[in-house]
Every structure is written in C-alpha cells, then in structure tokens.
Amino acid sequence: MNIVISGTSGEPIYAQIVRQIRQMILLGDLSSGTPLPSIRLLAKDLQISVITTKRAYEELEREGLVNSIVGKGSFVSGADQEYIREQRLRMIENKMKEIIEESRGLGIEFAEITEMMKLLYEEENG
C-alpha cells in the first residue's frame, strides 16, 4: 500500500491517511477482506506516531470501510456496494466542481464545457 504524507499540505496526517485509503477502497484498489498493514507497521513505514495511525483506522471504521478485529488486525469491510457507489459519485461531483470553478476563471461557458466533456467521453468509449 502506497501512502504519501505531505508535511506542507495543511491537511492533518491522519486525514491524509484516511483520504488515501478511502480512495483506494472506493476505486477498487483494495477489495473486501484485504488486510491493512498493522497500526504499528504503518506508523513505522510512514515515520509517524502510532496514535495518528490508530486515529486514521478508527475514522475508516466509523465510515464502515474498515473492520478491526482484536488480535487479527484491520481489514477492508464488505461495505454496502450502494454506499460505495454513492461515495464514488460524490468524488465525481467534487471533481466536476473543480472543473466548473477553473472554467469560470478562464471565462469558459457551460456549453463549451459540456461539448468538451461529450468529446472526451466519446473518445474514451471509441
């Protein structure tokens, strides 16, 4: 598992871990039942506090994306597929908001954005 921590992002370290693991799960890079590194191992690999790693795992567990079993570790849960779909839709919406903001900054009209999206979509679907 490749997690990159930035000390300059302004985002708390535990939140960076949560965001990256959440994204791996929602994109299907980590499937149901996949074991996560132990809290101690991940803390050692990232050179951070065990408390920070524990907080990240607890947050993922609260979201229903991870199950922790005492003595066995933490695993990607068999989260409801509808929940995962909703989370992925939310990710798409956030990316679309970024596109809209950037387009407005460049003075691009909505019709032009939709035409660009249509062309890209058709290009990808051959």
Side-chain angles (χ1 to χ4, degrees), residues 50-69:
V50 171
I51 294 168
T52 302
T53 309
K54 184 174 180 358
R55 183 173 179 189
Y57 278 26
E58 286 172 346
E59 178 67 26
L60 289 164
E61 195 166 3
R62 270 192 295 279
E63 291 182 17
L65 296 172
V66 170
N67 293 326
S68 295
I69 303 169

Side-chain angles (χ1 to χ4, degrees), residues 119-126:
L119 289 171
L120 290 170
Y121 188 84
E122 289 171 351
E123 199 176 277
E124 288 295 315
N125 288 327

